Amino acid sequence: MPKINIVKIADFQVGGATPLLIAGPCVLEDLDIALECARFMKEVAQKAGFNYIFKASFDKANRTSLSSYRGPGLEKGLAMLEQVKKEVGVPVISDIHEPWQAEPAAEVLDIIQIPAFLCRQTDLILAAARTGQPVNIKKGQFVSPWDMYYAVEKARGAGAQGIILTERGYTFGYRNLVVDMRAFPIMRNFGVPVVFDATHSVQLPGGAGGASGGEREFVAPLARAAVAVGVDGIFMEVHPEPKKALCDGPNSLPLEEAKGLLMILKEIYEVIRKNDILSP
């Protein structure tokens, strides 16, 4: 395996011996839910042996319907994320959709995320990379893993301090996604840590009549498979009550389910590392 360029986030490293967990509600709903998820997942991650980053979007600019909830917006959303960061003591990540959002986002976020639908947007990647913060680029549902090399090179060319790639499934027919397990070693071959988005990968885009559906029952088997193939971290959307979530409820995990899954994933991760199948 190629040497992985370790990414430093807050006080830990991504791409080394300890796996990464990125988890939180799809979108910021209110501060109480954000804090509940962050506190719960921080404790669970520590017990399971994961480094943890809290994730929630301040704006979901790609919702299916105009009437869908998008989030509190940049200013209020960043204030909420800063509150989570201070009260819970965890690094935070969120996604930007326009280049001008990069600078204000970088003042709060520990890592900036490029949404899957926008992974080919050169100006967006460059703006995120130039902030000096690490960048997580999600692979588009329409992009082959081989072509994500060029997204990595854009970020590197702009001086990104660290780059992570996240797989979230590939479009396969109408309203369906599939995960090609070859994508993990292919993208890791670019010398960057790779994360598997286990919950967005079971999303059914537009499959709920003006909103996305999901097949939550496949989150665990796909996550187990991805860790066995070789990834540096797992991304999961979690919620105290997924049925009441304002975004991506059908593919989000209840907090307790996420807890049980993480313990299993760490066991698989340790077997892979112990046998030198992956090396930092």
Side-chain angles (χ1 to χ4, degrees), residues 148-161:
M148 287 304 293
Y149 170 81
Y150 303 103
V152 170
E153 287 302 291
K154 288 176 184 179
R156 281 177 176 156
Q161 295 302 303

Side-chain angles (χ1 to χ4, degrees), residues 13-199:
Q13 296 180 332
V14 181
T18 304
L20 173 67
L21 171 67
I22 301 174
C26 173
V27 64
L28 287 165
E29 300 179 13
D30 60 47
L31 184 58
D32 287 342
I33 290 176
L35 289 170
E36 179 181 357
C37 289
R39 289 188 178 115
F40 186 93
M41 296 310 299
K42 177 185 179 181
E43 181 179 353
V44 168
Q46 288 177 339
K47 289 181 178 178
F50 282 75
N51 292 320
Y52 175 57
I53 301 174
F54 174 80
K55 179 271 171 187
S57 297
F58 56 75
D59 180 23
K60 299 298 288 186
N62 59 350
R63 298 302 305 274
T64 302
S65 170
L66 182 62
S67 62
S68 297
Y69 177 73
R70 288 182 53 167
L74 178 71
E75 185 176 347
K76 291 182 179 180
L78 288 176
M80 290 171 67
L81 288 165
E82 188 168 29
Q83 192 75 9
V84 170
K85 186 175 178 177
K86 289 180 178 179
E87 287 197 26
V88 185
V90 293
V92 295
I93 181 174
S94 194
D95 32 18
I96 62 172
H97 295 83
E98 300 180 60
W100 67 267
Q101 295 176 333
E103 286 296 335
E107 294 179 7
V108 174
L109 304 181
D110 297 275
I111 176 171
I112 297 174
Q113 184 165 288
I114 304 298
F117 280 125
L118 300 178
C119 70
R120 289 175 60 97
Q121 296 297 103
T122 301
D123 289 343
L124 188 65
I125 293 175
L126 298 183
R130 287 168 179 158
T131 66
Q133 294 290 59
V135 181
N136 178 35
I137 308 175
K138 301 193 78 173
K139 184 183 78 61
Q141 302 90 322
F142 48 89
V143 178
S144 79
W146 297 275
D147 288 339
M148 287 304 293
Y149 170 81
Y150 303 103
V152 170
E153 287 302 291
K154 288 176 184 179
R156 281 177 176 156
Q161 295 302 303
I163 304 166
I164 297 171
L165 290 180
T166 294
E167 166 65 53
R168 57 131 317 146
Y170 188 81
T171 300
F172 185 75
Y174 296 113
R175 297 176 171 176
N176 198 14
L177 299 172
V178 295
V179 179
D180 182 353
M181 292 291 162
R182 297 176 301 172
F184 305 122
I186 289 169
M187 294 195 296
R188 210 168 183 272
N189 201 43
F190 306 152
V192 298
V194 172
V195 169
F196 175 50
D197 184 340
T199 50

Side-chain angles (χ1 to χ4, degrees), residues 230-276:
V231 294
D232 300 279
I234 290 290
F235 181 117
M236 296 191 298
E237 290 188 329
V238 297
H239 196 279
E241 298 182 84
K243 290 183 178 179
K244 295 182 180 180
L246 299 181
C247 177
D248 279 3
N251 55 266
S252 296
L253 284 183
L255 297 177
E256 286 294 334
E257 280 191 34
K259 177 180 178 180
L261 177 58
L262 281 181
M263 301 301 291
I264 295 171
L265 296 182
K266 183 60 188 315
E267 290 183 19
I268 300 172
Y269 188 87
E270 288 178 347
V271 169
I272 298 298
R273 295 282 171 165
K274 182 179 180 181
N275 288 277
D276 293 325

